[in-house]
Amino acid sequence: MNYNKKTVRDVDVSGRKVLLRCDFNVPMAKDGSGVITDDKRIRAALPTIQYLLDQGAAVIACSHMGKPAATFDSYRKKQLEKGRDEASITEEKWKKSLAELRMEPVAARLSELLGRPVILADDVVGPDAAAKAAALKGGEILLLQNTRFEKGETKNDPELAKKMAALAGSDGVYVSDAFGAVHRAHASTAGVAAYLPAVSGFLIQKELDFIGGALANPKRPLVAILGGSKVSSKIGVINNLLEIADTIIIGGGMAYTFSAAQGGTVGDSLLEADWKDYANDMVKKAADKGVKLLLPVDTVIADKFAPDADSKVVKAGRIPDGWQGLDIGPETVALYCAAVAGAGTVIWNGPMGVFEFEKFAAGTKAVAEALSKTSAITIIGGGDSAAAVQQLGYADKMTHISTGGGASLEFMEGKELPGVACLLDQ
């Protein structure tokens, strides 16, 4: 995939209308109060928005929020799949579920952060959005309603994409700045690029520069740290990184599948038995390619999955029945931190253990601390890894923390990202 894409700086946006795809899919309070519990995704969009407004562009921002059912029939189907009783599924409940995913709280918070009014449309491509977009002047910003209120959004319906593009007029520009959504070919992330010249915002440019640069031309040695629960979710990433990394470190729940594949006992630890052959294939492939593949040599085990479980350290592959591995052990911590210390570039995706439990966060914390002390370029691949470094207080010591969990994973797999592929090349 070509990572060298045009950005907002490569087009003249003065006096033009800009359709800007943001990622405002922010977490909301579960009590239905409309309170945003974490606004970092809104803050992440500010540099691009402010630049466009300063350049005299009229900004038409859009984003999805959650997974609303665009029609009552689709809502009903989802509820039945969840085992809900047919009689309890009503149009009133469907409308309430939509109301909880409207963009009013986002508009209010964005207005506070920008220090200027944010005009809010009552629809996405309906009469209210069309009228407000037509009246929008340079230096003003309009926020459309949740793009997923339109049933054609997730289907990348060309008619919906055409209508969204039309809001920006014949001289409009499309700016993609929602990295967390670029792995999805939706109408607002990819489809609109067929009707407007498409460039990246600063957020996506940063992701392409750091992750793309680490994959295409890393400062070596390149060390990849892969954790998380399942081997199956990291297949493509491991395969791709075996082609470019110097060292791959395996931690988290998926380490027990590797351990079992090599004849070890893993007790009640997380295990994907169907993936043992694959794990052995990866060990062999690493050896054939001269890639150093580091697996845990000891592990912290617990008698139950709980923050107050009894725990002890055992050698990897020697976990007794009734016990489960929840973190890497101290010898493994030392091994992994030593590998990181001499790195030129480190990519980290997935925690080393159950970092949500203080008792089993030591491995993840030690790796985060090691990354904070190295002179290497350190890239955190979104999702749980990003949450871990934030929670543990090391976020400001990392070179780059990705804003996209699924998108960064697919990026590291070497997959083409539809929302990036559609942008104009440099």
Side-chain angles (χ1 to χ4, degrees):
M1 187 173 77
N2 179 17
Y3 308 129
N4 197 17
K5 298 293 183 177
K6 288 191 174 181
T7 78
V8 283
R9 294 193 190 278
D10 297 313
V11 290
D12 181 9
V13 296
S14 178
R16 300 169 77 178
K17 286 176 180 165
V18 173
L19 180 65
L20 172 65
R21 180 50 158 97
C22 300
D23 183 5
F24 292 151
N25 184 29
V26 291
M28 306 291 292
K30 298 189 185 301
D31 59 4
S33 61
V35 173
I36 296 170
T37 56
D38 185 348
D39 68 357
K40 70 173 174 283
R41 287 181 176 170
I42 301 176
R43 289 178 180 275
L46 294 178
T48 298
I49 294 173
Q50 194 63 62
Y51 173 82
L52 291 169
L53 294 173
D54 289 347
Q55 295 297 309
V59 178
I60 303 165
C62 64
S63 173
H64 75 284
M65 170 102 79
K67 296 180 179 178
T71 65
F72 176 62
D73 283 345
S74 60
Y75 172 78
R76 179 178 167 278
K77 184 180 177 183
K78 279 184 183 177
Q79 296 304 305
L80 289 173
E81 286 171 354
K82 290 178 181 177
R84 302 281 194 271
D85 180 66
E86 175 103 42
S88 71
I89 304 169
T90 64
E91 286 205 37
E92 286 73 27
K93 286 185 179 177
W94 168 57
K95 289 175 181 175
K96 184 173 183 292
S97 74
L98 294 182
E100 290 174 353
L101 294 174
R102 287 179 63 84
M103 303 303 287
E104 276 81 355
V106 173
R109 184 61 184 137
L110 183 57
S111 177
E112 288 174 5
L113 292 169
L114 287 172
R116 68 173 76 201
V118 173
I119 303 162
L120 181 66
D122 198 44
D123 45 32
V124 182
V125 291
D128 191 58
K132 285 174 178 172
L136 201 65
K137 297 180 177 63
E140 293 181 338
I141 179 168
L142 165 69
L143 177 63
L144 304 180
Q145 268 306 330
N146 189 337
T147 58
R148 290 190 184 171
F149 286 173
E150 293 287 339
K151 63 181 180 181
E153 161 70 337
T154 57
K155 297 174 183 174
N156 196 9
D157 176 33
E159 281 305 308
L160 174 60
K162 193 174 183 179
K163 287 177 182 175
M164 293 186 77
L167 295 175
S170 58
D171 190 38
V173 177
Y174 171 63
V175 175
S176 175
D177 213 30
F179 184 71
V182 291
H183 58 309
R184 303 185 183 105
H186 290 177
S188 69
T189 61
V192 291
Y195 306 99
L196 293 171
V199 298
S200 80
F202 298 137
L203 193 61
I204 285 185
Q205 180 191 14
K206 191 178 177 191
E207 299 278 5
L208 295 180
D209 285 348
F210 280 105
I211 302 180
L215 297 176
N217 186 29
K219 181 184 175 187
R220 293 193 180 276
L222 170 59
V223 177
I225 306 170
L226 300 175
S229 58
K230 296 180 178 180
V231 173
S232 57
S233 67
K234 297 284 193 330
I235 305 168
V237 178
I238 298 173
N239 256 324
N240 195 41
L241 289 174
L242 278 170
E243 301 295 330
I244 55 178
D246 299 291
T247 300
I248 295 179
I249 292 171
I250 302 291
M254 68 176 180
Y256 304 108
T257 298
F258 278 88
S259 183
Q262 296 186 317
T265 57
V266 297
D268 298 341
S269 305
L270 191 62
L271 171 65
E272 291 181 289
D274 293 347
W275 292 90
K276 288 196 289 185
D277 287 346
Y278 168 80
N280 277 334
D281 287 345
M282 291 302 100
V283 173
K284 183 178 183 304
K285 188 174 178 181
D288 291 345
K289 289 187 168 292
V291 176
K292 196 178 289 183
L293 182 66
L294 300 181
L295 298 170
V297 293
D298 62 347
T299 184
V300 180
I301 61 173
D303 61 350
K304 59 183 176 180
F305 187 83
D308 61 346
D310 286 336
S311 65
K312 59 184 177 180
V313 178
V314 300
K315 293 295 182 184
R318 295 184 188 174
I319 303 175
D321 290 344
W323 291 76
Q324 56 189 295
L326 295 187
D327 196 11
I328 56 175
E331 287 182 38
T332 306
V333 166
L335 178 70
Y336 289 3
C337 289
V340 165
T345 305
V346 181
I347 299 176
W348 181 17
N349 188 285
M352 296 293 96
V354 186
F355 74 95
E356 298 89 347
F357 297 162
E358 179 62 32
K359 198 169 187 177
F360 305 103
T364 301
K365 188 169 186 176
V367 169
E369 186 176 358
L371 262 61
S372 75
K373 293 177 178 177
T374 181
S375 59
I377 296 165
T378 50
I379 299 165
I380 313 302
D384 287 340
S385 315
V389 295
Q390 295 276 3
Q391 183 179 311
L392 297 170
Y394 292 106
D396 62 339
K397 300 286 198 304
M398 303 302 157
T399 309
H400 177 65
I401 299 176
S402 179
T403 54
S408 63
L409 257 185
E410 292 196 16
F411 201 170
M412 286 189 279
E413 284 182 47
K415 286 185 177 179
E416 182 174 89
L417 304 176
V420 172
C422 69
L423 305 179
L424 294 171
D425 294 335
Q426 282 282 15

